[in-house]
């Protein structure tokens, strides 16, 4: 979920993306109403932003349905993210560190930790939406997941979803793998295939899968977001941020290594400016994040 999380976190800081999202959501009043209450993807107890979009399309007919589907398809093609409302909290619950059990395995579904279960609930919801976008909207590629499994052929959406969620039928094992592009690192593809397998068989009490302990390449992204928000959203200067850090924190937490107190202010100021620049770049080029 790291790539999905950070792609949306940077994209929703892009004013152009937010305006395009609001324009699209004006066609989906139920979804828009929920987004006014919660800026998050997950709407407890068991709804997501994507399920609202799907339900509104399935309950609409005639010319209005054509407009809704065409505009949603255009948005997904243009921006390769979900529509994002103005934010007040993280869009997804993933926060940079997926909890891993000490035994290094994913236990049966009923024994999953709350956080881990929430993450997979969000993940399977996204899988459903990727399948929905391809089979019902006519999207020719996944929206933003590196890998999406389709049941058999590009059949009707419900049949394809059944193939993703039930592993006890031989017919349902005939999958077609689709990649976003051939530039996706093989490690990312492998991680997504593992996640797919876990999400497909979590209902099987006898199934467990070792979880990779490799750390992802998003190590500094939280700092880029922090710096971008402090400067671009909260209107602080790098100097003001540095003064607060030097006063309230150990500068090496932000800069790494040992630095003298006399040099701390300058180093922290430069580091925060660097992070803000990288954050600004990713706000504009969020599609690089996979």
């Amino acid at each position: 979920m790291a790539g999905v999380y950070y792609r949306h976190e940077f994209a929703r800081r892009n004013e152009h993306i937010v305006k395009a999202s609001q324009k699209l959501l004006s066609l989906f009043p139920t979804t828009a109403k929920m987004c006014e209450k919660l800026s998050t993807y997950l709407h407890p107890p068991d709804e997501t932003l994507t399920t609202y979009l799907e339900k509104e399309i399935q309950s609409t007919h005639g010319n209005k349905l054509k407009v809704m589907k065409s505009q949603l398809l255009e948005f997904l093609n243009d921006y390769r993210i979900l529509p994002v409302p103005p934010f007040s909290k993280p869009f997804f619950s993933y926060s940079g560190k997926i909890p891993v059990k000490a035994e290094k395995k994913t236990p049966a579904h009923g024994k999953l930790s709350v956080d881990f279960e929430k993450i997979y609930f969000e993940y399977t919801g996204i899988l459903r939406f990727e399948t929905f976008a391809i089979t019902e909207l006519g999207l020719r590629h996944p929206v933003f997941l590196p890998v999406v499994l389709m049941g058999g052929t590009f059949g009707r959406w419900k049949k394809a979803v059944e193939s993703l969620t039930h592993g006890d039928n031989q017919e349902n094992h005939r999958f077609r793998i689709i990649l976003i592009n051939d530039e996706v690192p093989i490690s990312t593809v492998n991680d997504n295939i593992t996640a797919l397998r876990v999400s497909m068989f979590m209902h099987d009490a006898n199934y467990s899968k070792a979880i990779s302990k490799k750390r992802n390449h998003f190590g500094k992204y939280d700092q880029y977001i922090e710096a971008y928000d402090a400067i671009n959203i909260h209107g602080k200067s790098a100097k003001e941020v540095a003064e607060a850090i030097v006063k309230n924190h150990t500068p090496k937490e932000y800069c790494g290594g040992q630095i003298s107190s006399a040099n701390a202010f300058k180093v922290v100021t430069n580091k925060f400016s660097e992070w803000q620049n990288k954050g600004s770049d990713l706000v504009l080029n969020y599609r690089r994040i996979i």
Side-chain angles (χ1 to χ4, degrees), residues 235-245 265:
K236 297 181 179 179
S237 66
K239 179 181 178 181
E240 289 176 305
V241 174
E243 288 175 343
I245 291 173
F265 177 76

Side-chain angles (χ1 to χ4, degrees), residues 268-279:
V268 173
T269 302
N270 291 340
K271 181 60 66 174
F272 238 79
S273 295
E274 175 191 335
W275 287 349
Q276 189 273 335
N277 289 335
K278 289 183 177 180

